Amino acid sequence: MIAIHNGKDGFHPEWVKYSKENNIPHKIVDCYSNNLIQQLEDCHALMWHFSQNNPKDILISKQILFSLQQSGMKVFPDFNTMWHFDDKLGQKYLLESLKLPFVQSYAFYTAETAISWAEKTTYPKVFKLRGGAGSTNVRLVENKKSAIYIINTAFGPGFSNYDRLGSFKESWRLYKLSKISIITLLKSALRMIIQPKFSEIMGMERGYVYFQDYIPGNDSDIRVVVIADKAFAIKRLVRKGDFRASGSGHILYEKALFDEVIIKLAFNASQKLKSQCIAFDFVYQDGNPLIIEISYGFAPHGYRECVGYWDSDMNWFEGKFDPYSWMLDLMLDEKYIDTK
Ligand SMILES: Nc1ncnc2c1ncn2[C@@H]1O[C@H](COP(=O)(O)OP(=O)(O)O)[C@@H](O)[C@H]1O
Ligand SMILES: [Mg+2]
C-alpha cells in the first residue's frame, strides 16, 4: 500500500489519479497528524510533494521523510533527492564535491571575508538567498558598492525570504500578461502589508552571503528534469529587460531547442546525485552548459505542453507522457529502493 499525503496541489492530485486509474493500492494520509506513523502501519511507501512555501512543510517535511526512510520505508522524495531542496547553499557544496559543471559560486560566513572578496572580485555578480523560487530571491549585483551593501545587510538585519516590493512588481507583470487573476494580484498587494506565513516561519536570512559569477548572454535558461531513467526539458525565456528566466511564464517546448549534450549531462548528474527526481537549471557559458541550481519539486502546469521525453539511452519518445506515474513506479520498482 502506498500512502499519499493529502495535498491539494503539486504532484498529489496526479499521483491519486494514476493510482485510481491503475488500481494501485493507496491511501490518503495527513502528514501533519500526530498519529502519522500509526496511519502508515499498513503502508510500504509514502509520497509527499512538500513545498518551499508551505509553512508546515518547511517545519517538518524533511524530518518526517528522513525518519521513515531510516526505518526502511520507501519514500518520495528520499534523502538524496531532497536534502538540498530549496537550499542553494547546500547545493554549492554538493555540486562542487561531485565535480559537476556548476557555475562558480561564493559563500561567506563572516562580513570580513565577504568584504575582502568583494573588494577584489569582478562585476557583475549574482546574489541569491539560499531559498526561493521563480527568481524571487535572485538579484544582479552591478558593482562593489552594491555588493558591500548586500554584505552589510546579510551580516546586519538580514533579508526577508519574501521580497514584498519585488513580488508585487512581479505579480503586476504577470497580471498584465494575463497569467494571473485580479484576485491573485490583490493578494499580492495585501502581502505588501502582511507578510506570507512561510516567510514569517522561516525568519530572516542572515549570517551568510551567497554569490555566483554572472554568466552573460543567455536569453533563457534550460531546465531538464530527470526522473529515474527518463528526462524531459523546457526552455524558459528571460523577462524583458532582465537576466532571470525562472518564473517568467515564457516557456518553449520543441525538441529541437534541446541539445543532446545537455540531456546526457543531466542524466549523468542525476546518477551521481542518486536522485529519484531532479530538475537542473542550466545556463550556457561559451557554448558549455553550467548548472545554476537543482530542485526535486516543480509546478506541473509548466510541463503539460512538453512534447516528448528521452530515456537514458537517448531514445526519444514523442507525445504526451505522465511523469507523476514514473514517480509512483519508483515506489513499486525494487531497483530504485534506497537500501537502509
Ligand atoms: N549565475 C547566473 N548567471 C546568469 N543567470 C543566472 C545565474 N543564476 C541565475 N540566473 C538566472 O536567474 C534565474 C533564477 O535563478 P535560480 O538560481 O534558478 O533561482 P530560482 O530558484 O528562483 O529559480 C534563472 O532562471 C536564470 O535565468
Ligand atoms: Mg531556478
Side-chain angles (χ1 to χ4, degrees):
M1 175 97 77
I2 297 178
I4 299 174
H5 173 62
N6 186 19
K8 297 286 169 266
D9 43 24
F11 304 157
H12 304 107
E14 314 282 345
W15 290 333
V16 173
K17 184 165 165 268
Y18 178 73
S19 304
K20 281 187 178 155
E21 285 170 2
N22 293 279
N23 295 320
I24 297 169
H26 67 285
K27 111 180 198 192
I28 309 297
V29 296
D30 173 9
C31 285
Y32 314 125
S33 148
N34 181 49
N35 70 355
L36 171 68
I37 306 302
Q38 271 162 284
Q39 287 186 49
L40 295 175
E41 252 156 31
D42 53 351
C43 301
H44 77 280
L46 171 68
M47 303 184 78
W48 185 1
H49 182 191
F50 70 86
S51 139
Q52 75 281 355
N53 52 24
N54 177 317
K56 296 201 278 293
D57 293 6
I58 292 164
L59 282 170
I60 205 60
S61 56
K62 286 184 179 174
Q63 290 78 354
I64 291 177
L65 288 160
F66 295 161
S67 304
L68 292 167
Q69 181 175 349
Q70 189 166 346
S71 78
M73 192 161 193
K74 286 188 213 178
V75 288
F76 181 94
D78 67 7
F79 181 85
N80 287 330
T81 304
M82 59 80 171
W83 70 260
H84 41 72
F85 176 66
D86 204 36
D87 184 2
K88 292 183 173 74
L89 214 46
Q91 292 166 23
K92 167 185 151 68
Y93 300 99
L94 179 61
L95 297 172
E96 286 180 2
S97 310
L98 295 174
K99 300 196 172 16
L100 288 167
F102 178 51
V103 60
Q104 186 70 50
S105 300
Y106 311 86
F108 304 101
Y109 304 95
T110 61
E112 295 69 38
T113 50
I115 286 173
S116 109
W117 167 83
E119 298 279 358
K120 287 182 291 227
T121 193
T122 56
Y123 292 91
K125 285 283 185 281
V126 178
F127 162 65
K128 301 183 180 186
L129 294 184
R130 72 193 303 177
S135 301
T136 48
N137 294 335
V138 174
R139 268 195 242 166
L140 198 64
V141 186
E142 302 276 5
N143 50 45
K144 183 166 83 181
K145 192 167 164 244
S146 309
I148 292 187
Y149 180 79
I150 286 171
I151 293 165
N152 285 331
T153 308
F155 293 95
F159 291 93
S160 165
N161 270 284
Y162 185 73
D163 171 9
R164 295 165 198 237
L165 187 61
S167 298
F168 180 71
K169 281 191 190 155
E170 177 65 2
S171 299
W172 178 243
R173 185 188 71 83
L174 291 169
Y175 177 70
K176 281 193 297 182
L177 291 172
S178 305
K179 302 237 179 227
I180 60 166
S181 68
I182 183 93
I183 305 285
T184 313
L185 178 68
L186 290 174
K187 276 190 189 158
S188 170
L190 191 66
R191 285 200 205 106
M192 293 279 282
I193 315 162
I194 307 166
Q195 67 167 329
K197 190 96 182 149
F198 82 87
S199 74
E200 210 178 286
I201 295 275
M202 287 175 90
M204 300 300 276
E205 293 295 312
R206 54 199 302 219
Y208 74 91
V209 69
Y210 181 52
F211 297 97
Q212 288 185 334
D213 279 348
Y214 169 62
I215 312 299
N218 286 276
D219 62 358
S220 56
D221 78 352
I222 302 271
R223 169 167 275 204
V224 184
V225 182
V226 180
I227 303 175
D229 58 354
K230 300 185 183 71
F232 51 99
I234 62 173
K235 176 170 175 152
R236 303 178 294 194
L237 301 181
V238 295
R239 293 159 175 84
K240 220 170 140 198
D242 198 325
F243 74 106
R244 299 167 309 163
S246 108
S248 73
H250 301 298
I251 309 181
L252 303 175
Y253 299 95
E254 300 95 276
K255 178 177 182 257
L257 298 170
F258 308 105
D259 186 0
E260 287 214 341
V261 171
I262 212 167
I263 309 297
K264 281 186 193 158
L265 175 56
F267 272 123
N268 179 268
S270 157
Q271 216 167 37
K272 282 192 170 177
L273 290 163
K274 300 188 169 63
S275 58
Q276 297 163 313
C277 168
I278 195 84
F280 298 92
D281 292 352
F282 290 103
V283 292
Y284 280 96
Q285 182 175 43
D286 307 324
N288 298 312
L290 290 179
I291 302 171
I292 51 174
E293 70 147 342
I294 57 176
S295 166
Y296 98 87
F298 53 89
H301 64 82
Y303 302 80
R304 297 208 207 283
E305 306 299 313
C306 285
V307 292
Y309 69 89
W310 294 263
D311 70 11
S312 48
D313 297 323
M314 294 305 293
N315 299 304
W316 170 253
F317 297 85
E318 185 89 22
K320 295 280 168 214
F321 56 93
D322 178 2
Y324 316 101
S325 71
W326 304 341
M327 299 170 189
L328 234 133
D329 289 345
L330 282 176
M331 299 295 100
L332 301 170
D333 184 347
E334 292 297 316
K335 200 167 86 186
Y336 292 100
I337 302 170
D338 209 28
T339 49
K340 273 197 280 178

